[in-house]
Amino acid sequence: METSDSRASGDPLVVLTDVQKHYGDFQALKDINLTVHRGEVVVVIGPSGSGKSTLCRTINRLETISSGSITVDGRELPKEGKPLAELRADVGMVFQSFNLFAHLTILENITLGPMKVRGKKKADAEREAHELLERVGVDAQANKLPAQLSGGQQQRVAIARALAMRPKLMLFDEPTSALDPEMINEVLDVMVGLARDGMTMIVVTHEMGFARKAADRVVFMADGLIVEEQQPEGFFTSPRSERAKDFLSKLITH
Ligand SMILES: Nc1ncnc2c1ncn2[C@@H]1O[C@H](COP(=O)(O)OP(=O)(O)OP(=O)(O)O)[C@@H](O)[C@H]1O
Ligand SMILES: [Mg+2]
């Protein structure tokens, strides 16, 4: 692996050490060593099948790892029960498909977690939900069902829902790749705002504009390995590895 130029200065929030992940005989993550500092924004980029989603999913234990260790805020990931539910609240995740609860209103989608996992009173949870919906620009939709919103609006609700748990870290797995082009920016703008507010973020995306604006570091993966890490400008203008050069040349000509 080639060395990183990270300019992050916070203390380590997420530490992956020698992480291996197998699906049967297939190894999806190989020797992953990655430290994400508090307040740092890391963009993960790489070809399809390189292990980007698997990496995200191991960090909030949607997937178990075969060996190695992962700590969040100094603690090994809990295996089950209430501690695991708390970890999932501490590590917010936003997927490509918005995964809102279809039968609940937008407001109920936001308040459910804080009431169930964080023990918030309904009135407090609703007040905070409105503040968050305001922040992501969809408070006018609070009483609608998810299906009544555009994709971009639903994704912004999904972000607000994760934020309602007051996470220490946010994981985004290709949050804009299912959106129509005109809705991509409204979601990216919310994410840039979050980054500016100091949220620690791991973002799987091929949106170079976002990476350039908001990322402290780009991590390039191929075949389950971290092949290269650099600051975004350096990565996009002069990638060091042949794999990254090849990947970027294809990305740009699309
Ligand atoms: N549940 C699973 N069982 C078996 N193999 C899996 C499973 N999930 C992922 N894989 C394999 O692990 C590898 C990495 O998958 P992953 O979804 O992490 O890739 P990715 O980088 O996110 O790709 P994409 O850009 O297409 O989303 C792939 O080869 C995939 O087929
Ligand atoms: Mg993926």
Side-chain angles (χ1 to χ4, degrees):
M1 193 184 78
E2 307 188 26
T3 53
S4 137
D5 298 317
S6 173
R7 57 193 150 94
S9 54
D11 58 319
L13 181 62
V14 186
V15 182
L16 289 88
T17 309
D18 297 330
V19 169
Q20 322 285 345
K21 168 68 182 174
H22 298 263
Y23 292 111
D25 290 339
F26 178 77
Q27 188 164 1
L29 294 178
K30 300 171 185 163
D31 307 322
I32 300 292
N33 287 286
L34 178 68
T35 297
V36 179
H37 300 85
R38 217 178 286 275
E40 193 179 14
V41 177
V42 172
V43 159
V44 181
I45 193 167
S48 182
S50 55
K52 307 179 298 294
S53 295
T54 305
L55 178 74
C56 284
R57 293 167 60 81
T58 59
I59 296 172
N60 67 356
R61 224 170 186 282
L62 289 172
E63 295 286 354
T64 57
I65 57 177
S66 312
S67 64
S69 87
I70 301 179
T71 60
V72 171
D73 215 0
R75 289 174 50 202
E76 290 280 337
L77 300 188
K79 290 191 170 53
E80 58 196 8
K82 192 155 184 279
L84 181 56
E86 282 164 1
L87 170 82
R88 300 243 169 91
D90 283 346
V91 181
M93 181 138 179
V94 175
F95 303 87
Q96 179 177 333
S97 54
F98 325 123
N99 292 359
L100 297 173
F101 303 117
H103 60 292
L104 297 182
T105 65
I106 298 308
L107 188 70
E108 289 165 343
N109 262 278
I110 310 278
T111 56
L112 186 68
M115 287 164 59
K116 267 183 95 164
V117 179
R118 299 292 200 211
K120 278 238 162 80
K121 291 201 191 92
K122 191 172 181 207
D124 293 337
E126 288 187 348
R127 185 174 33 77
E128 287 177 24
H130 283 298
E131 285 168 13
L132 283 166
L133 288 170
E134 187 87 45
R135 178 169 166 194
V136 301
V138 287
D139 197 37
Q141 321 294 329
N143 297 316
K144 291 188 181 166
L145 292 170
Q148 297 172 291
L149 271 60
S150 74
Q153 289 172 328
Q154 288 188 58
Q155 194 59 305
R156 286 181 283 150
V157 172
I159 294 171
R161 183 176 60 173
L163 292 176
M165 303 297 258
R166 305 200 174 262
K168 294 174 179 166
L169 164 76
M170 288 282 286
L171 303 172
F172 293 86
D173 190 359
E174 305 210 32
T176 59
S177 52
L179 297 176
D180 291 336
E182 67 270 25
M183 292 172 190
I184 290 175
N185 279 335
E186 64 193 31
V187 171
L188 291 177
D189 286 348
V190 167
M191 292 167 61
V192 169
L194 264 183
R196 299 229 162 107
D197 290 347
M199 177 60 76
T200 310
M201 295 162 66
I202 300 177
V203 184
V204 179
T205 184
H206 294 166
E207 293 287 342
M208 283 189 259
F210 173 80
R212 284 201 154 108
K213 247 189 257 175
D216 296 295
R217 186 161 41 130
V218 171
V219 167
F220 175 74
M221 292 184 72
D223 297 328
L225 289 161
I226 293 178
V227 175
E228 172 168 351
E229 299 181 44
Q230 276 209 62
Q231 287 179 14
E233 209 50 50
F235 179 76
F236 291 117
T237 54
S238 46
R240 297 179 185 126
S241 61
E242 286 307 316
R243 287 304 303 265
K245 280 179 198 160
D246 182 53
F247 175 77
L248 286 174
S249 69
K250 286 174 185 149
L251 197 65
I252 289 159
T253 53
H254 262 242

